[in-house]
Amino acid sequence: MPLFVEVALPVPMRQSFSYKINPDDAHRAIQGSRVKVPFGRQQLIGLVIAQTDQCDLAENKMKFVSEFLDDEPLLPQSLYKLTSWAARYYFCSLGQMLSQALPVALRKGAAVTTPTQKFYRATPDGHEVDLTTLKRAPAQRQVLAQLQQKTLSADEANQLELSKAAIKALMDKGYIALEERANKLDLSWRDNLRLDEEPHQLNAEQAIAVATLNQQQGYRTSLLEGVTGSGKTEVYLALLETILKQGKQALILVPEIGLTPQTISRFRRRFNVDVAVIHSGLTDNQRLEAWRQAKTGQAAIIIGTRSALFTPMRFPGMIILDEEHDASFKQQEGVGYHARDLAVMRGHLEDIPVLLGSATPSLETLQNAINGRYQQLTLGQRAGPAEKVRQGIIDIRNQPLKHGLSHGLINEMRMHLDAGNQVLLFLNRRGFAPALLCHECGHLHECDRCDAFFTVHQSLGEIRCHHCGNQYAIPKQCHQCGSTMLMGQGVGTEQLANALESLFPKYPVIRIDRDTTSRKGSLESHLNAIHKGEYKILVGTQMLAKGHHFPDVTLVGLLDVDGALFSADFRAPERFGQLYTQVAGRAGRARKPGTVLMQTHQCDNPILRELMHKGYGEFARGQLTERQHALLPPAWHMLLIRAEAHQAEDADAFLNQVAALLPQNQQCEVIGPMPAPMDRKAGKYRRQLMFQTKERTVLQQAFEQALPQIDALPLAKRCRWSLDRDPQDLL
């Protein structure tokens, strides 16, 4: 009797695919193992989800599995269940969800285990070399200094960003050698945990939080709501000590690659264990090696961004999400999963505690804490000698602005700089100027593919659309009237940094945004330079707002808060409240008192007043009440259906047909179709439809019922459409 396997493939079709196998291979077709199969004209790698002796397809249409790649399942049962649950919840194929859970190298067919690992070591001649003889070759000197102290694996050398040219030169001189060693599994940390640093003395609030969390057994989700600078990381470290002493692993998720270096160094300083790091800035092989170390149990601590959530742990102990409110935990491309929600589900499936930490919790998490689904712990005091910051508003109505700076802010900056401190200016708009204006006819140069203006990037000599990537050289003449009197309208970080260099020539300025940190390692080197005091004025976008500890920053200025106060997105007030609180938290983190100043034309705005006088906690609870009255998430549950087409009518017609398939009653609401806040992007018209329900299960059942009919609509082929469950923005 022929045998068949059901295979989940990384394709958008919400189904599995059947393939024949020889009876001799039946023992190799293990659920969760990878197989290579023919699919159309290509060969794809998928995962086996079942073995059966029955198939509905005609015998002549069946194809054989090309190759079996594994002898055992890639993922433990808990992660397989998690991906199955997530595929149903986010209305995508199991193959798409499973491929999200695997490192890219495994998706391409790489081997799961490696028999050997490469190491660099100093030779006897290398150990005798006086490093001063290499002073004219600093890169070689750096490499040899490291290797004279200890042997480094090839991966460690990559992480330290040691120069490959310097390594080759030293090998040619016979000072260092490369050797291969058989991979040995080192689990000694489970029996003998060593601390490299004495734990800090916890304050009363921290000690209570740690004691409460240490008493928990099995699954429980807790929210650690601590004001900025209250020492949440110290609580994480104390908890990890307990977890690691039990011989269990911990997974720590951070929102940005930029936060991983400082998080890694904090954990490595404290614990003498292997730390696996997983984020998009690493090569495929580096990520695979970290995945292997976590799966085998060699890495006691796994630190990573969103995708690290799916990393298997041999001895699961705890999951920590730092800055849980951050929007980057929600994937925007492909399957729009939310790492926070899946982390809670994973904790439930593996029966381990989950800790969500934030100074500005998301309204979803806050509601769960208020309802008693999550345990809530609070850190209301800044750790150590740090004092509460002084807050103020600068009313810029009718005031002259110099490159976006008011006289009041410039004078305040001068006082703080002259006192030997650092100043941070926050402007969430990169580039030189947000628009290019003709001084003669008033024409603003707009992207020809989007409803957006070009941003001027002076240093690159180009105008660029930040929505579709469209770019041109800065025009010499106005496209409308031919005038050469073109000027940047508004201020971006590049222009602000240039202006500050001439305003404060004695004080070095550094700009941190996506343009200045695109090269590998550049963000780390910039942050190190800031900590050493090499720069006195810091200019940046959101990248500077998150979790960084700058002890010498005593003044934080927010230059353009008005833009954040007015938005078509219902989450805008929450986002602004989080951003303001996080940016304000960069000031006065050590012994020096801090000041936060906001420039605004809206000094009587109730959102600003409430944030300043009551703080984020009360502000967020007020926002929750507003959302309940408006029947918006988290009070109701939302699914956003997006459609884009070259003809606006096609997208409208398709979404009208979708709306007709969805129920509308007291429990369900359908809103739209309507244009997206940016109507046209990359040459396509964008429309959206919102489906909201009071109960989560009603949304799940109603949409699962409608989905096959939506897939079958002829108009579905005339536009590109996607689903976003629990959307984080409506853009």
Side-chain angles (χ1 to χ4, degrees), residues 168-230:
K168 186 179 184 306
L170 289 169
M171 287 176 77
D172 292 343
K173 291 175 183 174
Y175 292 162
I176 66 172
L178 178 66
E179 58 183 38
E180 287 200 15
R181 298 182 194 168
N183 257 344
K184 286 182 185 172
L185 197 55
D186 180 12
L187 301 178
S188 58
W189 64 269
R190 300 191 70 215
D191 306 311
N192 180 26
L193 179 68
R194 296 210 326 270
L195 300 187
D196 284 351
E197 171 189 79
E198 197 62 35
H200 295 191
Q201 184 71 41
L202 299 178
N203 64 27
E205 287 184 326
Q206 290 171 325
I208 290 167
V210 171
T212 308
L213 292 163
N214 276 337
Q215 284 168 6
Q216 292 175 357
Q217 295 295 318
Y219 166 71
R220 181 76 195 263
T221 299
S222 306
L223 165 63
L224 182 65
E225 186 179 1
V227 298
T228 51
S230 59

Side-chain angles (χ1 to χ4, degrees), residues 10-22:
V11 293
M13 288 170 275
R14 281 174 274 271
Q15 64 179 82
S16 58
F17 298 87
S18 302
Y19 289 89
K20 272 198 286 194
I21 57 169
N22 293 314

Side-chain angles (χ1 to χ4, degrees), residues 98-292:
L98 281 165
S99 76
Q100 294 278 345
L102 296 178
V104 175
L106 290 181
R107 289 181 232 163
K108 292 177 179 174
V112 174
T113 54
T114 49
T116 60
Q117 198 176 356
K118 292 179 178 175
F119 285 86
Y120 293 107
R121 62 171 176 83
T123 60
D125 288 349
H127 276 294
E128 288 173 13
V129 171
D130 182 355
L131 292 175
T132 55
T133 60
L134 293 171
K135 65 182 176 187
R136 296 183 67 182
Q140 290 181 36
R141 186 169 150 185
Q142 184 195 5
V143 172
L144 194 55
Q146 290 276 0
L147 294 175
Q148 282 181 348
Q149 290 176 357
K150 64 171 185 175
T151 301
L152 292 176
S153 71
D155 282 326
E156 286 172 328
N158 277 335
Q159 281 175 18
L160 291 167
E161 295 184 2
L162 299 179
S163 160
K164 288 188 169 67
I167 289 172
K168 186 179 184 306
L170 289 169
M171 287 176 77
D172 292 343
K173 291 175 183 174
Y175 292 162
I176 66 172
L178 178 66
E179 58 183 38
E180 287 200 15
R181 298 182 194 168
N183 257 344
K184 286 182 185 172
L185 197 55
D186 180 12
L187 301 178
S188 58
W189 64 269
R190 300 191 70 215
D191 306 311
N192 180 26
L193 179 68
R194 296 210 326 270
L195 300 187
D196 284 351
E197 171 189 79
E198 197 62 35
H200 295 191
Q201 184 71 41
L202 299 178
N203 64 27
E205 287 184 326
Q206 290 171 325
I208 290 167
V210 171
T212 308
L213 292 163
N214 276 337
Q215 284 168 6
Q216 292 175 357
Q217 295 295 318
Y219 166 71
R220 181 76 195 263
T221 299
S222 306
L223 165 63
L224 182 65
E225 186 179 1
V227 298
T228 51
S230 59
K232 289 185 289 295
T233 309
E234 207 52 49
V235 172
Y236 303 157
L237 289 163
L239 288 171
L240 277 191
E241 192 178 330
T242 307
I243 294 291
L244 298 179
K245 280 179 176 170
Q246 293 169 0
K248 294 176 181 174
Q249 295 165 282
L251 171 64
I252 294 128
L253 298 182
V254 292
E256 298 274 350
I257 296 172
L259 289 179
T260 48
Q262 66 176 40
T263 310
I264 295 159
S265 67
R266 283 291 294 275
F267 287 98
R268 279 193 173 140
R269 271 207 313 270
R270 179 68 57 90
F271 303 110
N272 190 345
V273 295
D274 281 340
V275 178
V277 182
I278 297 176
H279 59 67
S280 59
L282 303 174
T283 65
D284 290 350
N285 285 338
Q286 285 172 328
R287 275 187 280 178
L288 177 56
E289 185 52 41
W291 186 90
R292 284 180 186 134

Side-chain angles (χ1 to χ4, degrees), residues 321-358:
L321 250 94
D322 193 27
E323 310 291 351
E324 69 80 29
H325 65 277
D326 201 285
S328 55
F329 280 126
K330 177 83 156 77
Q331 174 138 310
Q332 298 299 341
E333 301 296 322
V335 181
Y337 71 87
H338 201 304
R340 178 196 61 225
D341 300 341
L342 291 188
V344 171
M345 191 63 186
R346 178 173 178 181
H348 176 68
L349 290 168
E350 294 190 333
D351 198 27
I352 57 173
V354 179
L355 180 61
L356 310 176
S358 176

Side-chain angles (χ1 to χ4, degrees), residues 424-439:
L424 188 156
L425 295 181
F426 175 79
L427 177 63
N428 214 17
R429 197 189 291 125
R430 62 195 172 95
F432 185 82
L436 186 65
L437 174 80
C438 173
H439 193 52

Side-chain angles (χ1 to χ4, degrees), residues 667-720:
Q667 295 283 315
C668 307
E669 185 181 27
V670 178
I671 305 167
M674 56 192 164
M678 182 182 288
D679 188 12
R680 188 164 163 266
K681 182 178 175 181
K684 290 183 179 174
Y685 291 93
R686 306 159 78 232
R687 297 289 184 267
Q688 50 195 32
L689 181 76
M690 286 182 220
F691 179 46
Q692 292 194 150
T693 64
K694 194 173 182 180
E695 300 297 330
R696 201 186 292 270
T697 49
V698 173
L699 189 148
Q700 188 75 36
Q701 288 163 4
F703 203 77
E704 274 183 350
Q705 209 172 335
L707 200 48
Q709 297 164 274
I710 295 170
D711 282 330
L713 290 172
L715 274 169
K717 294 183 174 64
R718 295 188 63 178
C719 57
R720 188 176 168 193

